[in-house]
Amino acid sequence: MSEARNDFIPDPIRQGIARGWRIVDGATLEADRTLEADVVIVGSGAGGGVTAEILALAGLQVLVVEEGALRSSKDFKMREADAYPALYQESAARQTLDKGIKILQGRTVGGSTVVNWTSSFRTPPSTLDYWRSRFGLDGFGEQAMAPWFAMMEARLHIGDWQAAPNENNALLGRGAARLGISSGLIRRNVNGCWNLGYCGMGCPTNAKQSMLVTTIPSALDHGAQLVTRVRAERFEIEGERVQSLLCTALQPDGVAPTGRQLRLRAKHYVVAGGAINSPALLLRSNAPDPHGLLGKRTFLHPTLISAGIFPQRVDAYAGAPQTVYSDHFLHTAPIDGPLGYKLEAPPLHPVLLSTTMNGFGQDHAAMMRQFPHIQGMLALLRDGFHDDSPGGSVQLKDGAAVLDYPLNDLLWDGARRALLSMAEIQFAAGASTVRPAHETARAYASWSEARREIAALPQALHMTRVASAHVMGGCTMAGDERRGVVAPDGRYRGLANLSVHDGSLFPTSIGANPQLSIYGVTARLASGLAQELTGQPAPRPEAA
C-alpha cells in the first residue's frame, strides 16, 4: 500500500483520540499512578473487547489494560518486518517450552483479532455436546448459543465471502472435489474488504472487523479508559476478593520496563489476556486452585503444513487468506477416537513461509525461488477429546508464561494421517511436487511416492514441523469445581469479584478457528455480568 492511501481511508483511532478518548500510554508515564474504575479488564482481544463494549454500554466505568501498543491502519504497511515485532507475542516467535511448536498470537490493542485471517466458525455442535456431557456446561448447547453467535455475527459483519476464492484456496476445493471429499466456504468478519491478502499484518483499510475498529472504539466512546504498553503482573488478593491489580509500565519497545508502576482498583476484575497469559497472571497472583487445575488442559490445534508446487502461478499471498475448508477428516472417527483434523489453506508470505518450511542452503533457496507457484495447506488437529490427549500446561519461568505441550503417539498418528491427506489432495489438484514440512522430507513427484515416503517419515519432536495460531483452555469452565476453576457464569471460583472472559475457558480445543466461539461465549458472560453489576438487562451492541 502506498502512503497516498492514508489520505482517503478514515482512521477511526486517530478520529477517536481527537474526540477525547481517555488513553494512558505506559511508555510515557513519568510517575507511578493509581487508577480506579467499576471494572478492570485485562486484555483487549476477542474476549476483552467484547466485554468492554457490553459493560461500557451498560453504563459501567470500564478500564482496559493492554500489554501491547495502540496502532491504527496508518501503521499497517503490509510488511512482515514491521508487523511481526509490533503486533505479535515475542515478535511472532513464541514457542512451547521444548521449542517443538511455534505459536502465533497477537500483542496489540485488539489482540489476535488484529492479525488473524478473519475465518469465522460457530463452535461445532459436537464440541458443545462434549462440553455438556463431560464438563457440565448444560447451558451452552447449540440452541442456547445460537442467539449469541447471531448477535456477534451481526455486530462484526460476519458473513459469506462474496468474491471467488484465490488460487491458493481454490486448489484445496478442486483437489478435494476430485477425490469426493466434501469442502465448504469460510465466513469472514470483514466489511468493504479490498481482497489484499495481508490480514496477518493488520488491515490497512479497516475492513477487518477486529476489536481495534469495533468494540474498543465503541467502549471508549462510551467513557471507557484504555491503558496501553502496561503489563499486568499480579492481583493483590485478600480473603476471597481482589483488592487491586499491580502493573508494570513498558518502554516504547513494549518489552523492557520503564520503572514506573500502576495500581488498578475496581469493584470487579475480568481476565481476558488469552489462554497463555491469563493462567500465567492468575498463577503469579497465587489465585485459589484447590484441585490443581489452573493452567492445565491448555489446548492448541497442533497444525501440520504441506507445500505443493504447481505449474501455474498460485500467488498465495494475494487475495482473501482463507475462504475454503474441509471438515471431512474431522468426522471420519468418533469425536473421542483418533484425532480428527480440519483442512484449510494459509496465506503465504516470504518470511512466514521460509521460517516454517524445512531445508537449508541451496535446497531451501531452490524452494523459495518457486514461491509464486507454491500452494500451502494446513491440517488443524482437534485435541482434547480423548483420554490420551490432556493438552498442555501453562507454567511460570522467571515469572513469564510458558506453555509445556508434550506431543504423544496419539498426536503423531494424527500428524501422519494429516500429511498424507494433504499430499493426496494437492496431487489431485494438479501439483507437480508436494513437500511436507518435515526435517527429512523432500519434494515428492507423485502421490504413490508421497504415500510411501510419508508413511515412513519418523514423526517426532523437532522432526515434524508443528505450529498453531489457536490457544484455548487453561482456565477451564465447568459445572463441577473438580473439573474447572471457572464456573459456568464466568466467575473464578474462590474469588468473588473476578471473572474470566476469553478462550482460556474452553475445556477442549474447538475443532475450528476459535474467534467466533470466544465472541459468542464472552458476549453471553459479559451480558450476565453487566446485569449482575447494574441490576438492569444488558444492552445489545449495535450491528456493524
Side-chain angles (χ1 to χ4, degrees):
M1 295 288 290
S2 69
E3 297 294 333
R5 59 96 182 163
N6 291 338
D7 297 333
F8 61 89
I9 294 177
D11 187 333
I13 303 305
R14 297 193 183 187
Q15 292 171 354
I17 292 172
R19 288 197 300 274
W21 282 352
R22 296 196 300 153
I23 299 174
V24 175
D25 183 352
T28 66
L29 289 177
E30 297 181 353
D32 295 349
R33 291 188 63 178
T34 296
L35 301 174
E36 297 187 0
D38 293 327
V39 182
V40 165
I41 301 172
V42 182
S44 62
V50 168
T51 299
E53 179 178 39
I54 289 173
L55 297 185
L57 288 173
L60 293 162
Q61 289 298 311
V62 173
L63 188 155
V64 180
V65 57
E66 168 59 48
E67 187 178 39
L70 175 61
R71 312 284 181 179
S72 76
S73 56
K74 288 183 172 58
D75 300 308
F76 303 147
K77 307 298 185 183
M78 299 169 59
R79 291 194 292 264
E80 291 176 280
D82 295 333
Y84 298 155
L87 303 176
Y88 284 78
Q89 291 282 353
E90 301 174 37
S91 298
R94 173 168 271 188
Q95 295 177 308
T96 51
L97 181 62
D98 58 17
K99 313 301 182 186
I101 306 176
K102 180 178 180 179
I103 301 172
L104 295 175
Q105 283 185 298
R107 183 177 180 269
T108 186
V109 173
S112 293
T113 72
V114 175
V115 295
N116 70 25
W117 298 334
T118 77
S119 298
S120 302
F121 295 90
R122 294 189 179 190
T123 313
S126 58
T127 299
L128 295 172
D129 290 344
Y130 190 87
W131 293 355
R132 177 189 56 77
S133 64
R134 299 295 183 93
F135 293 89
L137 297 181
D138 296 331
F140 288 81
E142 182 179 9
Q143 290 187 344
M145 288 303 302
W148 299 103
F149 289 139
M151 181 179 84
M152 295 312 301
E153 286 164 349
R155 172 67 182 97
L156 301 175
H157 215 269
I158 293 172
D160 297 337
W161 176 236
Q162 301 301 316
N166 66 3
E167 184 69 357
N168 193 44
N169 283 269
L171 286 167
L172 167 56
R174 292 204 298 269
R178 288 169 184 166
L179 296 171
I181 293 171
S182 62
S183 65
L185 299 177
I186 298 175
R187 305 174 78 210
R188 309 181 64 220
N189 61 315
V190 295
N191 188 10
C193 178
W194 289 28
N195 203 22
L196 297 173
Y198 288 74
C199 301
M201 300 169 212
C203 181
T205 69
N206 297 313
K208 183 196 299 188
Q209 299 297 281
S210 69
M211 302 300 93
L212 177 66
V213 298
T214 55
T215 61
I216 295 298
S218 173
L220 292 170
D221 280 338
H222 287 86
Q225 186 170 14
L226 175 64
V227 180
T228 67
R229 286 193 274 213
V230 166
R231 180 181 297 131
E233 298 290 357
R234 62 182 178 87
F235 290 109
E236 292 184 308
I237 298 172
E238 293 184 11
E240 295 187 351
R241 295 190 66 82
V242 174
Q243 299 299 318
S244 61
L245 174 64
L246 298 181
C247 303
T248 297
L250 302 175
Q251 294 182 16
D253 63 6
V255 178
T258 66
R260 304 301 180 190
Q261 292 188 326
L262 290 89
R263 176 175 270 108
L264 308 181
R265 300 186 185 276
K267 300 173 184 175
H268 198 89
Y269 299 82
V270 176
V271 177
I276 292 179
N277 292 340
S278 286
L281 170 60
L282 293 165
L283 286 168
R284 286 196 298 271
S285 306
N286 293 315
D289 183 23
H291 300 285
L293 302 174
L294 181 58
K296 306 298 195 298
R297 291 192 65 82
T298 303
F299 290 101
L300 304 172
H301 290 136
T303 299
L304 293 308
I305 304 104
S306 184
I309 308 296
F310 284 79
Q312 73 274 26
R313 287 184 69 103
V314 177
D315 293 334
Y317 58 87
Q322 289 189 318
T323 54
V324 176
Y325 75 99
S326 175
D327 279 352
H328 173 83
F329 299 99
L330 273 177
H331 306 307
T332 53
I335 193 170
D336 56 355
L339 298 193
Y341 43 91
K342 187 184 200 75
L343 298 182
E344 296 176 341
L348 300 182
H349 298 277
V351 173
L352 185 63
L353 175 65
S354 63
T355 56
T356 299
M357 293 302 295
N358 53 298
F360 57 91
Q362 293 183 357
D363 176 55
H364 192 273
M367 179 195 67
M368 291 305 297
R369 281 194 291 270
Q370 299 182 84
F371 175 68
H373 296 267
I374 298 177
Q375 189 265 350
M377 202 173 295
L378 300 177
L380 288 68
L381 295 178
R382 180 178 57 191
D383 200 6
F385 297 85
H386 192 283
D387 290 342
D388 291 333
S389 61
S393 60
V394 174
Q395 305 172 4
L396 297 179
K397 186 175 182 180
D398 298 325
V402 293
L403 175 61
D404 184 22
Y405 207 91
L407 296 170
N408 59 19
D409 289 343
L410 186 74
L411 286 158
W412 291 129
D413 170 71
R416 187 184 307 281
R417 289 184 285 108
L419 292 174
L420 286 165
S421 297
M422 291 188 287
E424 185 176 16
I425 290 172
Q426 287 171 319
F427 278 117
S432 303
T433 61
V434 170
R435 182 171 189 160
H438 186 285
E439 289 302 315
T440 62
R442 53 188 176 80
Y444 306 124
S446 69
W447 164 231
S448 61
E449 180 187 22
R451 179 171 52 190
R452 180 181 69 253
E453 296 291 330
I454 293 172
L457 288 176
Q459 299 296 328
L461 187 69
H462 302 140
M463 295 292 286
T464 306
R465 295 289 180 97
V466 185
S468 186
H470 306 153
V471 191
M472 299 147 282
C475 296
T476 301
M477 180 170 62
D480 187 335
E481 67 176 10
R482 294 167 297 180
R483 302 301 304 274
V485 295
V486 176
D489 61 359
R491 296 294 189 103
Y492 189 87
R493 290 187 164 105
L495 293 174
N497 63 336
L498 180 70
S499 299
V500 180
H501 287 187
D502 61 15
S504 69
L505 295 169
F506 299 155
T508 65
S509 72
I510 295 292
N513 306 58
Q515 71 162 339
L516 181 51
S517 293
I518 299 172
Y519 294 147
V521 169
T522 56
R524 173 178 171 166
L525 298 179
S527 296
L529 179 61
Q531 185 162 349
E532 288 182 29
L533 295 178
T534 66
Q536 301 293 325
R540 294 172 62 90
E542 296 182 3

